[in-house]
Amino acid sequence: MEQAEIGLIGLGVMGSNLSLNIAEKGNRIAVFNRSPEATRKFYAEAGDLQGQIIPCETLEQFVASIRPPRPIIIMIKAGEPVDQQMEALKPYLSAGDIMIDAGNANFRDTMRRFDNLKDSGLTFIGMGVSGGEEGARHGPSIMVGGKEESWKRVEKVLTSISAKFNDDPCVAWLGENGAGHFVKTIHNGIEYADMQMIAEIYGILRDGLGMSASEIGEVFGKWNTGRLNSYLTEISEKVLKATDPVSGKPMVDMIVDRAGQKGTGKWSVIEAQNMGVAATAIEAAVAGRILSSQKPEREAAEKILGVPVLAEAPKDRAAFLADLENALLAAKIGAYAQGFAVMSAASTEYNWNLPMPTIARIWRAGCIIRSQFLDEITSAFTKDPDVANLIVTPAFSQMVKETDGALRRVVSYAVLSGLPVPALSSALSYFDAYRRGRGTANLIQAQRDFFGAHGFERVDGVDRPHGPWGSGLNQS
Ligand code: 6PG
């Protein structure tokens, strides 16, 4: 029997959909699941695609069904199960075979797995896959990290299954070892910030302007035809307009305001902090989810502290809505600029040589943060791939200048009204701090020197490393 081009282990929702996508694009695929019933069920339901699928009930049969060097996608719960699965597979593999972790792995685990396989003749790919169930079935965005020759082995299959933006496939090899999973983590960090900012704008419309869910849905629908056109704007409209079949009320009003998180946002913040990159909007988004989860505490605090009286809403509703649209755009620019800055630092730190224009390019379709806006980011980085920060590129500096006034007005209104806007306001402060040549850290340096004799640089370059504080330290 003709061997499969690729194998996949783990027929959960993502694994099944990815397998069907692979088969549908004309690639022969061997599949395996820990419980054979799941494999049988998957095969039985594969319909016309059965001819492209080799269902396997033992790892031995599975491995033997794949053309060497064998690329094997592991699509199971991230963490320990991946290590266990790799160990179970190893005895059946031969030199050159490639285990591919397609889950949301912490890139540090990916780096460790590469290291562990170093002298084994086997290799690894850490592959970020974005787009959820629908993306896996019909075209995800795929971020590949590993050896370039491993990429060459899987390039054809992955290109065939990836999302396309104007026929351009949203898949790329981004660098060695943990590069793909790192980029996916930052994708998720940006996703967190984008979602938090949308939720903050929703809060202003709901609690500030008193609009209903469906009215707010209309607003997002309108914005989706403009510069905010994106998957997240689109689904916000759909979600806000949906009715709960049980109560007949807007679905969104029946959902508890407590957000979950699985860790990728937090990892983005930790890595940004480790490398000394300010990713304040992502930090605010992660903190926003944490505060959201403390619902009983928040309810108790409201009883004690109350909430501030709303500021007078701007009289010109249409102008304020235009401000909200521009404010969201401005804040998004801040969040994306921060995400790309984190990746740029990681590229240096881990010698990945991450291609910024390519990353933006493969995020234009398939993934959760897909948008028109990413096409503009692609152009900006293509023109200037080594720019220090997205917000100083000609196109984006212009956009910031056009929209930051609106962000300032929106944040001011929210702050005066006691409506929480941590991500929007952090983006604004980021712009204000980043573009101010003279900041206030001279005072911090003086304080550090005062209590800890840490020294400082002088503006006139004169060599006198300590101040005349009277602490007895280095006084002249
Ligand atoms: C994607 C998503 C997907 C998932 C994340 C975020 O790119 O398809 O990012 O990977 O939504 O796991 O999940 P949490 O919000 O639960 O952390």
Side-chain angles (χ1 to χ4, degrees):
M1 185 162 71
E2 192 197 331
Q3 283 188 306
E5 199 45 33
I6 195 160
L8 185 142
I9 296 179
L11 293 170
V13 176
M14 289 297 283
S16 301
N17 281 299
L18 206 62
S19 301
L20 293 173
N21 185 1
I22 291 172
E24 189 180 66
K25 300 296 157 27
N27 310 288
R28 221 164 146 64
I29 178 169
V31 296
F32 175 85
N33 195 75
R34 201 171 41 167
S35 80
E37 295 76 41
T39 311
R40 282 176 221 145
K41 183 165 180 287
F42 168 77
Y43 187 69
E45 291 170 0
D48 292 351
L49 298 175
Q50 277 182 346
Q52 293 289 67
I53 297 169
I54 309 175
C56 305
E57 300 204 357
T58 65
L59 277 179
E60 194 175 4
Q61 181 205 357
F62 170 72
V63 171
S65 310
I66 308 164
R67 176 174 79 80
R70 304 175 182 88
I72 297 175
I73 298 176
I74 300 174
M75 193 57 136
I76 60 177
K77 195 172 173 334
E80 187 64 27
V82 174
D83 292 306
Q84 287 164 2
Q85 187 60 69
M86 288 173 69
E87 283 310 308
L89 254 180
K90 267 189 194 166
Y92 303 100
L93 301 180
S94 318
D97 288 350
I98 313 158
M99 288 185 272
I100 305 173
D101 177 9
N104 267 333
N106 187 316
F107 89 105
R108 292 182 181 276
D109 284 337
T110 307
M111 304 285 259
R112 171 177 57 76
R113 287 169 185 141
F114 267 99
D115 269 359
N116 292 346
L117 290 174
K118 209 158 55 201
D119 302 314
S120 66
L122 303 174
T123 188
F124 195 66
I125 282 180
M127 184 166 98
V129 179
S130 178
E133 197 180 324
E134 189 62 18
R137 179 65 184 86
H138 299 292
S141 167
I142 307 175
M143 297 145 252
V144 178
K147 292 206 177 78
E148 195 169 4
E149 65 251 39
S150 309
W151 158 244
K152 291 280 169 227
R153 173 67 182 85
V154 291
E155 182 175 0
K156 201 162 148 266
V157 176
L158 296 183
T159 302
S160 74
I161 65 164
S162 71
K164 310 288 178 303
F165 182 90
N166 298 338
D167 295 332
D168 200 1
C170 292
V171 56
W173 173 67
L174 299 176
E176 296 272 330
N177 50 60
H181 275 146
F182 189 90
V183 170
K184 175 64 182 20
T185 297
I186 301 306
H187 164 283
N188 283 25
I190 295 173
E191 172 187 306
Y192 272 52
D194 205 333
M195 291 167 76
Q196 173 70 24
M197 288 166 172
I198 290 174
E200 290 174 14
I201 295 283
Y202 157 70
I204 295 173
L205 294 169
R206 185 189 70 183
D207 300 330
L209 304 192
M211 291 169 71
S212 69
S214 67
E215 285 169 340
I216 302 171
E218 278 297 309
V219 171
F220 280 105
K222 183 162 169 279
W223 290 350
N224 197 37
T225 61
R227 291 179 97 176
L228 288 173
N229 173 261
S230 70
Y231 173 70
L232 286 171
T233 310
E234 178 192 327
I235 66 166
S236 300
E237 175 191 7
K238 290 189 174 145
V239 163
L240 285 156
K241 285 186 175 170
T243 303
D244 171 28
V246 178
S247 64
K249 292 186 179 154
M251 190 67 240
V252 75
D253 289 341
M254 299 305 293
I255 299 175
V256 176
D257 56 328
R258 201 159 39 191
Q261 52 175 321
K262 291 197 285 290
T264 43
K266 180 178 76 179
W267 299 339
S268 301
V269 173
I270 291 171
E271 299 307 336
Q273 295 272 2
N274 278 340
M275 292 182 296
V277 180
T280 53
I282 304 174
E283 284 169 24
V286 175
R289 288 204 191 184
I290 294 170
L291 275 163
S292 86
S293 72
Q294 298 170 335
K295 180 135 174 108
E297 258 181 84
R298 289 189 286 116
E299 284 171 336
E302 183 172 340
K303 288 200 184 95
I304 297 166
L305 299 166
V307 292
V309 175
L310 288 178
E312 199 186 333
K315 297 242 171 344
D316 186 342
R317 172 75 61 114
F320 191 53
L321 287 176
D323 265 0
L324 285 162
E325 181 179 10
N326 282 325
L328 185 50
L329 181 62
K332 272 178 65 142
I333 295 171
Y336 282 66
Q338 292 173 2
F340 276 94
V342 178
M343 291 190 289
S344 165
S347 183
T348 309
E349 177 94 8
Y350 300 103
N351 291 318
W352 284 328
N353 206 10
L354 292 177
M356 299 304 154
T358 304
I359 294 170
R361 182 172 64 73
I362 65 170
W363 284 353
R364 291 178 303 175
C367 66
I368 302 295
I369 62 171
R370 62 184 180 257
S371 64
Q372 201 51 47
F373 177 69
L374 272 158
D375 197 32
E376 296 178 63
I377 298 182
T378 305
S379 308
F381 278 128
T382 304
K383 285 184 196 133
D384 194 352
D386 299 319
V387 68
N389 191 303
L390 181 68
I391 62 175
V392 294
T393 60
F396 280 84
S397 58
Q398 188 55 36
M399 265 157 96
V400 169
K401 285 190 213 160
E402 281 165 18
T403 55
D404 76 326
L407 180 56
R408 209 170 292 288
R409 287 188 290 276
V410 166
V411 168
S412 303
Y413 166 73
V415 169
L416 289 171
S417 297
L419 299 170
V421 284
L424 297 175
S425 59
S426 74
L428 181 61
S429 296
Y430 178 70
F431 293 148
D432 288 342
Y434 191 80
R435 69 168 165 215
R436 188 161 287 269
R438 180 164 192 235
T440 55
N442 46 329
L443 180 57
I444 294 171
Q445 284 298 80
Q447 291 164 332
R448 290 178 71 242
D449 186 55
F450 192 105
F451 61 65
H454 295 287
F456 47 74
E457 282 176 86
R458 288 180 59 103
V459 292
D460 55 9
V462 170
D463 188 16
R464 180 191 160 132
H466 297 286
W469 319 119
S471 64
L473 290 165
N474 295 292
Q475 287 192 62
S476 54

